[in-house]
Amino acid sequence: MRRAAVSDAMPDLPHIDPALFDRPTLERLVSRTPSLHAPRFLLLYGSLRERSYSRLLTQEAGRLLKSMGGEVRIFDPAGLPLPDSTPDDHPKVRELRELAQWAEGMVWCSPERHGSMTGIMKAQIDWIPLTLGAVRPTQGKTLAVMQVSGGSQSFNAVNQLRVLGRWMRMLTIPNQSSVAKAFLEFDDAGRMKPSSYYERVVDVMEELFKFTLLTRDAAPYLVDRYSERRESAEQLSKRVNQRSSQ
């Protein structure tokens, strides 16, 4: 990596390339025509059981987001192969990746199994790459994390999902949901019973919706990074130098 020249205009930052340095301004953050379409949400859950509580909780979240005016897609992980076990053109892999590009926000909901998220949950996230050509399917998009537990309340799965959300460069909202003894929280029809757990899910979806409205148009600017601008400039310089030497 080349060393930036010392600039008289920035004597306190001798290692900064002034041409690539950004001074964030409120005007650049808000001077965009707001999108008017319904916010788009992709929801993932982490169990294939016939009565899957993570699926039931995800469906409740989807109903709430739709009622708030959002457009919702819930991905069914049944039939999704293990990561790297098949080419990327597998139909379920293509479906998941297309939905990840389509979405402006996501909800990840996993059961906690052996103190962790399930392999089914992790497989879905692993199939979503950091890059698809020049497109980053998750960067700058909002994320809400939830989990269900068969026993007492725990936060192991949501904590791990937060780590993955950060790794995928997503804007993970502060609130989250953890439903303990999930088998007691849903009726025979699969609907969530009234409880503080349900009210927390409402809170989380409200927050996700608001953060999505707030950030979706500004996301390209929010995640624009000096190091990546510099890397891109260096790559461009190499290409230009190669052409000029031919």
Side-chain angles (χ1 to χ4, degrees):
M1 181 177 287
R2 65 183 175 84
R3 184 186 180 95
V6 176
S7 169
D8 293 337
M10 305 180 69
D12 293 335
L13 301 174
H15 305 302
I16 291 291
D17 186 336
L20 302 175
F21 186 73
D22 181 49
R23 293 178 174 85
T25 65
L26 182 61
E27 289 74 20
R28 291 183 65 189
L29 187 63
V30 301
S31 62
R32 289 171 172 78
T33 302
S35 297
L36 300 179
H37 64 269
R40 301 189 295 260
F41 298 99
L42 169 62
L43 281 57
L44 307 179
Y45 60 91
S47 171
L48 298 178
R49 290 179 175 175
E50 183 176 354
R51 185 170 171 83
S52 164
Y53 295 109
S54 64
R55 186 187 73 247
L56 295 179
L57 184 59
T58 297
Q59 290 171 341
E60 290 290 348
R63 294 183 186 100
L64 289 164
L65 291 170
K66 286 181 181 178
S67 296
M68 294 173 194
E71 187 175 355
V72 173
R73 299 286 185 272
I74 299 177
F75 178 73
D76 180 0
L80 182 71
L82 290 174
D84 302 326
S85 67
T86 187
D88 295 350
D89 60 358
H90 186 283
K92 291 295 290 190
V93 176
R94 286 204 315 270
E95 178 189 356
L96 177 58
R97 291 186 171 187
E98 289 170 2
L99 287 172
Q101 293 184 66
W102 165 85
E104 296 168 324
M106 294 190 193
V107 178
W108 295 350
C109 180
S110 177
E112 180 172 325
R113 184 172 296 168
H114 300 316
S116 175
M117 77 181 79
T118 62
I120 294 166
M121 188 78 240
K122 184 63 162 58
Q124 294 174 79
I125 298 169
D126 284 348
W127 269 121
I128 302 173
L130 286 174
T131 59
L132 279 174
V135 177
R136 289 182 171 165
T138 55
Q139 178 168 263
K141 298 183 178 183
T142 53
L143 171 66
V145 295
M146 305 194 299
Q147 75 168 76
V148 294
S149 302
S152 58
Q153 191 172 41
S154 172
F155 301 94
N156 289 325
V158 288
N159 288 339
Q160 292 173 336
L161 291 171
R162 283 188 177 279
V163 170
L164 287 173
R166 183 173 69 244
W167 188 258
M168 302 295 283
R169 298 181 174 184
M170 303 184 75
L171 305 174
T172 309
I173 66 169
N175 214 341
Q176 61 187 23
S177 169
S178 174
V179 179
K181 296 182 180 179
F183 61 92
L184 297 176
E185 298 302 322
F186 294 85
D187 62 23
D188 292 340
R191 295 303 305 270
M192 198 169 184
K193 300 174 184 177
S195 69
S196 60
Y197 289 134
Y198 178 75
E199 291 180 359
R200 172 59 68 90
V201 177
V202 179
D203 293 346
V204 173
M205 292 308 110
E206 280 186 350
E207 191 170 291
L208 175 65
F209 204 102
K210 293 172 185 176
F211 269 76
T212 304
L213 290 174
L214 180 67
T215 62
R216 63 177 178 173
D217 295 313
Y221 182 55
L222 289 173
V223 298
D224 183 39
R225 296 172 173 85
Y226 171 80
S227 61
E228 293 177 354
R229 292 194 298 274
R230 184 172 175 182
E231 182 181 12
S232 297
E234 289 180 357
Q235 292 172 348
L236 176 61
S237 177
K238 289 179 181 178
R239 287 197 299 271
V240 171
N241 291 336
Q242 287 173 350
R243 291 171 185 164
S244 63
S245 64
Q246 292 176 351

